[in-house]
Amino acid sequence: MAVSPTQATQSDVVDAIRRDILDGELVAGQRLVEAELSEWLGASRGAVRGALIDLTHEGLVERIANRGARVRVVSIEEAVEIIEVRAAVEALCAAKAAEKITDEEIAELRQLGEDMSAAVASGDVGTYSRLNTRLDERFIAISGQKVAAETIARLQGRSVRHQYRLAYRPGRSQISLPQHLAIIEALARRDPTAANRAVREHLASVLDAVREVASSRWEPSGGR
Amino acid sequence: MAVSPTQATQSDVVDAIRRDILDGELVAGQRLVEAELSEWLGASRGAVRGALIDLTHEGLVERIANRGARVRVVSIEEAVEIIEVRAAVEALCAAKAAEKITDEEIAELRQLGEDMSAAVASGDVGTYSRLNTRLDERFIAISGQKVAAETIARLQGRSVRHQYRLAYRPGRSQISLPQHLAIIEALARRDPTAANRAVREHLASVLDAVREVASSRWEPSGGR
DNA sequence: CGTACCAAAATTGTTGACAATCCTGCGAGA
DNA sequence: TCTCGCAGGATTGTCAACAATTTTGGTACG
């Protein structure tokens, strides 16, 4: 999108392309020609090339030797798998977090819970969605599990496009809010087992919703 | 180690360096100078550079801007975290595998179990260790969870050095063999819950052993 | 009408030279 | 003796030109 006045560095390019993919500016399957992006972003071709390689490792871009890069298409099946893995790892984090959470952090999460309730009550889906993400990030950080955090971050990007549709489905907030509050309460009670289960139940529900959206999108689209 | 007569390509370099790190040929913390490796492996500096970037993403190499690459040192704490995450994800795979395993695959795993028992009985730790790895790979493949497989593969490399010491500890085989057989039996019974639990129990035991090795290695070593 | 082939264009891959950065060792001054 | 500063060397980072590969469009031939 924005072309900066100064020369863009490689990590700038990575961020820019990643954002465009996540925002849907670059659609799945679209070709990513190095020379084009280079001019588009005001960076050297080398930088763009390196960025595409990085994004390939993140799973957002697909590269075939001598045949260029395209935005990776993640099938519903793959999205489901990603959420299943995330469920397993996040549940681990939740259990660990419940064991080492401090009083201040509990207060912080409770506040977060109230904000979420308020956002849902006022129908502000955008804010609610952002608070969701924050809750995830917070309890993963609290768990102190760096490897798990890195693993989840890696997977996050790939599934975000599929989860995006979800947030704005009517009634979705009402389903997920109590689940999020349950996670918070389990952490506040310092109950690892309950926290583990609460996270799993939440992601199982997300999974159902993703599958449902998938099947409901079978008919309208007629594309390749 | 071996320098091939023909020009080595980038993926050759990745493989060569990875193998050397995993084999302990390159020790943790050792500097990896691009020009040296380039001459050593008979590849261009660009190829070596690219390989080091790839290995950085794998977590085997650590790179600091303008200051070069070194073999990443994975602390005991990190190894523990890695095994915890692996436990969560492999348990997921085991449960999924139990749901879709075929009769042929059950026979194959049972055979594997017998081979493992034989290897332990004859004290052939090397073979036993290799069969272990195969068992892991097989039930992950059977589960059909590509994302989980990729996630585990990523983590595998980093923890392998810590697990390596383990295999040759006296008595270790006797502890882990029944756990492996339990995994096989749970899969053969097509019991997802039991398979999940069997994998978790096995990796919990690995975890204990890693921690124990860690504490027993506190005294002999005199620091970096 | 379809197919095989070929050259031109477009695109990616690689290399080598140069620029930028960091580390080392030495010497001057307090 | 210790600290600071500064060249010199070593190492990494970047770029632009060149090579290799794939795609495309057209044409001749069956």
Side-chain angles (χ1 to χ4, degrees):
Chain A
M1 294 250 84
V3 45
S4 54
T6 171
Q7 190 83 342
T9 173
Q10 178 167 322
S11 70
D12 293 338
V13 178
V14 172
D15 291 343
I17 300 179
R18 186 196 292 115
R19 183 162 37 75
D20 284 352
I21 293 177
L22 263 35
D23 289 352
E25 209 85 29
L26 298 170
V27 301
Q30 181 169 344
R31 279 199 69 187
L32 299 171
V33 179
E34 293 177 3
E36 278 178 16
L37 290 172
S38 166
E39 191 174 0
W40 183 248
L41 299 167
S44 75
R45 192 165 78 89
V48 170
R49 185 181 178 75
L52 289 176
I53 292 173
D54 280 6
L55 290 166
T56 303
H57 285 119
E58 274 187 42
L60 288 178
V61 166
E62 184 181 33
R63 259 165 54 90
I64 307 179
N66 290 316
R67 294 179 53 180
R70 24 184 91 237
V71 179
R72 181 137 179 272
V73 322
V74 292
S75 64
I76 294 293
E77 291 76 24
E78 188 178 353
V80 166
E81 280 189 28
I82 289 170
I83 294 170
E84 284 173 338
V85 172
R86 272 189 57 195
V89 180
E90 286 199 25
L92 167 71
C93 288
K96 291 277 172 183
E99 287 172 359
K100 54 174 13 186
I101 193 167
T102 67
D103 290 339
E104 289 76 22
E105 288 163 343
I106 289 177
E108 181 197 341
L109 291 190
R110 283 226 164 97
Q111 179 61 51
L112 207 61
E114 286 175 29
D115 294 347
M116 291 169 95
S117 301
V120 171
S122 67
D124 186 348
V125 179
T127 299
Y128 176 58
S129 177
R130 229 167 299 124
L131 293 172
N132 271 356
T133 311
R134 180 114 60 92
L135 172 60
D136 270 22
E137 288 170 358
R138 282 308 291 145
F139 81 73
I140 292 169
I142 291 169
S143 79
Q145 298 274 96
K146 297 211 198 82
V147 174
E150 178 196 319
T151 303
I152 291 168
R154 260 183 76 72
L155 297 177
Q156 178 85 336
R158 294 196 226 175
S159 62
V160 72
R161 282 263 87 201
H162 283 282
Q163 282 191 255
Y164 184 72
R165 308 183 194 289
L166 230 66
Y168 288 90
R169 291 212 108 195
R172 183 65 210 157
S173 309
Q174 279 73 25
I175 295 177
S176 77
L177 177 61
Q179 297 172 344
H180 283 129
L181 296 180
I183 295 173
I184 294 173
E185 279 317 303
L187 290 170
R189 284 202 316 274
R190 298 196 164 87
D191 182 341
T193 311
N196 188 300
R197 190 176 54 238
V199 167
R200 284 177 188 278
E201 278 171 8
H202 169 51
L203 282 173
S205 142
V206 169
L207 228 139
D208 285 344
V210 167
R211 285 212 186 89
E212 191 186 328
V213 173
S215 55
S216 77
R217 277 186 68 84
W218 239 201
E219 306 109 39
S221 113
R224 69 185 224 100
Chain B
M1 285 294 106
V3 45
S4 54
T6 171
Q7 189 82 341
T9 173
Q10 178 167 322
S11 70
D12 292 339
V13 178
V14 172
D15 292 342
I17 299 178
R18 186 196 292 116
R19 182 163 35 76
D20 285 351
I21 292 178
L22 262 36
D23 290 351
E25 210 85 31
L26 297 169
V27 300
Q30 180 169 345
R31 279 198 68 187
L32 299 170
V33 179
E34 293 177 3
E36 278 178 17
L37 290 172
S38 165
E39 190 172 2
W40 183 247
L41 297 168
S44 74
R45 192 166 77 89
V48 171
R49 185 182 179 74
L52 289 176
I53 291 173
D54 280 6
L55 290 166
T56 304
H57 285 119
E58 274 187 42
L60 288 179
V61 166
E62 184 181 32
R63 261 165 53 90
I64 307 180
N66 291 316
R67 294 178 55 179
R70 24 185 90 237
V71 180
R72 180 137 179 271
V73 324
V74 292
S75 64
I76 295 292
E77 291 76 24
E78 188 178 352
V80 166
E81 282 189 25
I82 289 170
I83 295 170
E84 285 173 339
V85 173
R86 272 189 58 195
V89 180
E90 285 199 25
L92 167 70
C93 288
K96 291 276 172 184
E99 287 172 0
K100 53 175 12 187
I101 193 168
T102 67
D103 290 340
E104 289 77 22
E105 288 162 345
I106 289 177
E108 181 197 341
L109 292 190
R110 282 226 165 96
Q111 179 61 51
L112 206 61
E114 285 176 29
D115 294 347
M116 291 170 95
S117 301
V120 170
S122 68
D124 186 348
V125 179
T127 299
Y128 175 58
S129 177
R130 230 168 298 123
L131 293 173
N132 272 355
T133 311
R134 180 114 61 93
L135 173 59
D136 270 24
E137 288 170 357
R138 282 308 291 143
F139 80 73
I140 291 170
I142 291 170
S143 79
Q145 298 275 97
K146 298 212 197 84
V147 174
E150 177 197 319
T151 302
I152 292 168
R154 260 183 75 71
L155 297 176
Q156 179 85 335
R158 295 196 226 175
S159 62
V160 70
R161 281 265 90 200
H162 284 281
Q163 282 191 256
Y164 184 72
R165 307 183 194 289
L166 230 66
Y168 289 90
R169 291 212 107 194
R172 182 68 210 155
S173 309
Q174 279 73 24
I175 294 176
S176 77
L177 177 61
Q179 297 171 344
H180 282 130
L181 296 180
I183 294 173
I184 293 173
E185 279 316 303
L187 290 170
R189 284 203 316 275
R190 298 196 164 88
D191 182 341
T193 310
N196 187 299
R197 191 176 52 238
V199 167
R200 284 177 188 278
E201 279 171 8
H202 169 51
L203 282 173
S205 142
V206 169
L207 229 140
D208 285 344
V210 167
R211 285 212 186 87
E212 192 186 327
V213 172
S215 54
S216 77
R217 277 186 70 83
W218 240 201
E219 306 109 39
S221 113
R224 67 186 238 105

